[in-house]
Amino acid sequence: MDLKILLVEPNESVGDLIAKNLEREFGAKIVYYKSGADAVELIEKGEYFDLFVCRNSSLETVENPIEQIAALVLNALYDNSLKTPLIVIGDFEHTFKKYALISDRLRIEELNRLVLKALNLKKEEFDHLKLPDYIPFPIKYFYLMTLSPCDVFIKLTKKNGDEYVKRLHFGESFTKDDLKKYEDLGLSEFYILKDERELFMNGLLTQSLRNLRAPHSIDEAVVMTGDSFVISSDLIKSLGINSTCVVMVDQTIHQMRTQIAKADKLGLLLKKLLDNQLSYSYKRSYLICLMSYILLPKMEWGGSEQMPALLEKISMVAFFHDIYLDDEKLLKIMDMESLKKAKLNPRERDLVLSHANKAALLALTYPRLPQGVDIIIKQHHGVSNGVGFPEALTAAVSPMAVFFIVVEDFVTCILDQEDLTTFTTILKYLKQRYTLPTYRKIVTEIEAMVSKK
Ligand SMILES: [Fe+2]
Ligand SMILES: [Fe+2]
């Protein structure tokens, strides 16, 4: 059975919306008019419809000074002795009470309910029309999984609509190399059935955590933590802070800290981090944690019993501070001068200017955030309100922010240089740049650290 519905709605975008909905929900054929007079003309000609849906709005145009659509249509029904049901959207009153009314603040589900009622049909009769809804997820979300937690599809774009093809069955095992093959083909997303979203998120969390915690060589562990760094920050940005990403962020930070604390030779860890396979953002954040691990105890900010808490703060800052910048080009802009030199579009420029403040606000919604972390994030470019870059560095930001600024600058230089045999150029640059005593103290400690080796 094919339903044929006549729709009259003066507002074209609303009309399109309603028409698309009726097509989708009922597989109906929609004849759509913006003017009541045109619709009436068609009715007069005797064309058959199962249902009329009209907006009772008065549309003032040159041809139709004031057109009461519902009254026009209802009169046409009466004159032609038609029994076709009518649904009126909006305010309407008429002595010939053969119509259903729905409020102006149109709710599509309400309309659909009325359509079923008007036609004496049941919702189930249209269930077959409901195509499965597929939700895209980045393929990289699967990096830390080994078993498919649900059926997984890829999308093929065809001339007459998208087609979804199952590539992984529920419970099927796969490796990261298998995933890479898809990515090498230019695919970046897998698709999951809408109803299996929960199943997927649960699998993502439990498998990723289990695999992260399993014993691995330090090289493997650094790569896996890098995946979890990318996945969890991506999850936060797309879904907000929820239980899944909180657990993953905690685990990511925990992994970085234990890897650093357990490494007997930090130099080896450092070399691994210069590996080009890893994301720039992850490498830099990791290096900040690693350097802080060595430098913080020299800062006289408390006894050894306070070091774990200080390190925790710095690693939280390292994780969150640049979370809104995913492009390496943007991540490397650290002062006014490089911002001016960089050719950015307005959106990128905005993002760079506001990223510190935005990240601080996001971190504030994180449960159990150590005290002061949001302040350090906000000030990580040396501006107290977290917007833009300072004309000149000042001592007007928190001491931990000063520490973070210098350490981040230092590790950025290391990443640029990719050579760990000499630090001469880097030290020269740092000394030139940081002349204020609070900043200089950290440069001095960096110098002591590198000359010891
Ligand atoms: Fe940064
Ligand atoms: Fe930043």
Side-chain angles (χ1 to χ4, degrees), residues 2-24:
D2 270 340
L3 287 176
K4 201 169 152 197
I5 301 176
L6 177 69
L7 168 69
V8 193
E9 164 62 63
N11 181 317
E12 196 171 333
S13 48
V14 177
D16 283 343
L17 195 89
I18 297 174
K20 282 216 184 74
N21 160 69
L22 294 174
E23 277 166 7
R24 195 182 54 229

Side-chain angles (χ1 to χ4, degrees), residues 284 321-322 334 380-381 404 408:
R284 191 162 70 179
H321 77 293
D322 284 336
M334 312 258 283
H380 84 266
H381 286 295
F404 191 90
E408 176 162 45

Side-chain angles (χ1 to χ4, degrees), residues 192-262:
I192 307 289
L193 283 169
K194 187 168 78 184
D195 293 345
E196 302 201 327
R197 190 176 175 280
E198 284 290 299
L199 209 59
F200 171 71
M201 291 307 282
N202 281 336
L204 169 65
L205 180 64
T206 47
Q207 288 190 44
S208 302
L209 287 183
R210 191 178 57 223
N211 293 332
L212 261 177
R213 285 180 186 137
H216 290 281
S217 71
I218 186 76
D219 280 12
E220 283 170 333
V222 167
V223 174
M224 291 178 86
T225 308
D227 289 337
S228 137
F229 184 97
V230 172
I231 296 168
S232 51
S233 43
D234 216 70
L235 278 171
I236 290 185
K237 280 185 287 178
S238 56
L239 305 170
I241 288 176
N242 63 21
S243 51
T244 305
C245 67
V246 166
V247 181
M248 280 190 83
V249 171
D250 283 347
Q251 189 59 29
T252 306
I253 290 172
H254 173 81
Q255 285 290 333
M256 290 201 289
R257 287 170 48 203
T258 40
Q259 285 158 22
I260 293 169
K262 274 199 295 197

Side-chain angles (χ1 to χ4, degrees), residues 129-402:
L129 292 170
K130 294 256 166 45
L131 285 170
D133 264 342
Y134 296 87
I135 317 174
F137 282 105
I139 292 183
K140 62 177 181 231
Y141 282 16
F142 291 73
Y143 279 180
L144 293 170
M145 295 199 259
T146 44
L147 291 171
S148 193
C150 55
D151 288 339
V152 174
F153 302 77
I154 59 168
K155 183 169 88 176
L156 303 178
T157 310
K158 295 263 172 81
K159 258 193 209 138
N160 37 6
D162 296 333
E163 200 177 292
Y164 295 87
V165 181
K166 197 184 287 185
R167 292 324 289 261
L168 291 170
H169 292 262
F170 165 73
E172 193 176 330
S173 68
F174 57 86
T175 64
K176 192 171 167 182
D177 284 340
D178 296 333
L179 302 172
K180 289 272 188 204
K181 277 178 204 148
Y182 284 104
E183 290 181 315
D184 290 343
L185 290 170
L187 234 61
S188 61
E189 279 166 336
F190 277 156
Y191 288 78
I192 307 289
L193 283 169
K194 187 168 78 184
D195 293 345
E196 302 201 327
R197 190 176 175 280
E198 284 290 299
L199 209 59
F200 171 71
M201 291 307 282
N202 281 336
L204 169 65
L205 180 64
T206 47
Q207 288 190 44
S208 302
L209 287 183
R210 191 178 57 223
N211 293 332
L212 261 177
R213 285 180 186 137
H216 290 281
S217 71
I218 186 76
D219 280 12
E220 283 170 333
V222 167
V223 174
M224 291 178 86
T225 308
D227 289 337
S228 137
F229 184 97
V230 172
I231 296 168
S232 51
S233 43
D234 216 70
L235 278 171
I236 290 185
K237 280 185 287 178
S238 56
L239 305 170
I241 288 176
N242 63 21
S243 51
T244 305
C245 67
V246 166
V247 181
M248 280 190 83
V249 171
D250 283 347
Q251 189 59 29
T252 306
I253 290 172
H254 173 81
Q255 285 290 333
M256 290 201 289
R257 287 170 48 203
T258 40
Q259 285 158 22
I260 293 169
K262 274 199 295 197
D264 18 283
K265 286 208 173 92
L266 286 176
L268 287 178
L269 192 53
L270 205 65
K271 264 205 197 98
K272 178 66 199 166
L273 283 167
L274 297 180
D275 186 332
N276 283 327
Q277 296 296 312
L278 304 165
S279 92
Y280 183 81
S281 178
Y282 169 61
K283 282 192 282 194
R284 191 162 70 179
S285 294
Y286 200 124
L287 281 173
I288 291 170
C289 296
L290 195 153
M291 294 304 166
S292 302
Y293 182 79
I294 308 169
L295 292 167
L296 270 176
K298 318 272 184 219
M299 297 312 299
E300 292 151 22
W301 282 337
S304 55
E305 71 286 353
Q306 287 182 41
M307 279 311 125
L310 288 174
L311 271 167
E312 193 195 357
K313 278 189 195 186
I314 289 291
S315 32
M316 290 298 277
V317 177
F319 182 87
F320 275 103
H321 77 293
D322 284 336
I323 195 163
Y324 286 106
L325 310 177
D326 22 35
D327 193 337
E328 191 169 328
K329 175 180 84 174
L330 304 185
L331 283 160
K332 283 182 172 168
I333 299 171
M334 312 258 283
D335 54 30
M336 225 33 181
E337 209 184 327
S338 41
L339 178 69
K340 277 175 194 156
K341 272 190 216 149
K343 293 195 178 75
L344 303 184
N345 64 38
R347 199 196 62 86
E348 291 173 325
R349 201 187 130 83
D350 245 38
L351 197 60
V352 169
L353 289 175
S354 63
H355 79 278
N357 189 44
K358 275 181 74 179
L361 289 173
L362 177 71
L364 270 177
T365 65
Y366 196 85
R368 304 180 309 275
L369 189 78
Q371 203 201 348
V373 165
D374 57 305
I375 307 283
I376 311 171
I377 295 172
K378 199 193 271 187
Q379 300 179 341
H380 84 266
H381 286 295
V383 187
S384 54
N385 68 0
V387 180
F389 302 97
E391 283 301 334
L393 289 166
T394 69
V397 291
S398 89
M400 290 273 279
V402 170

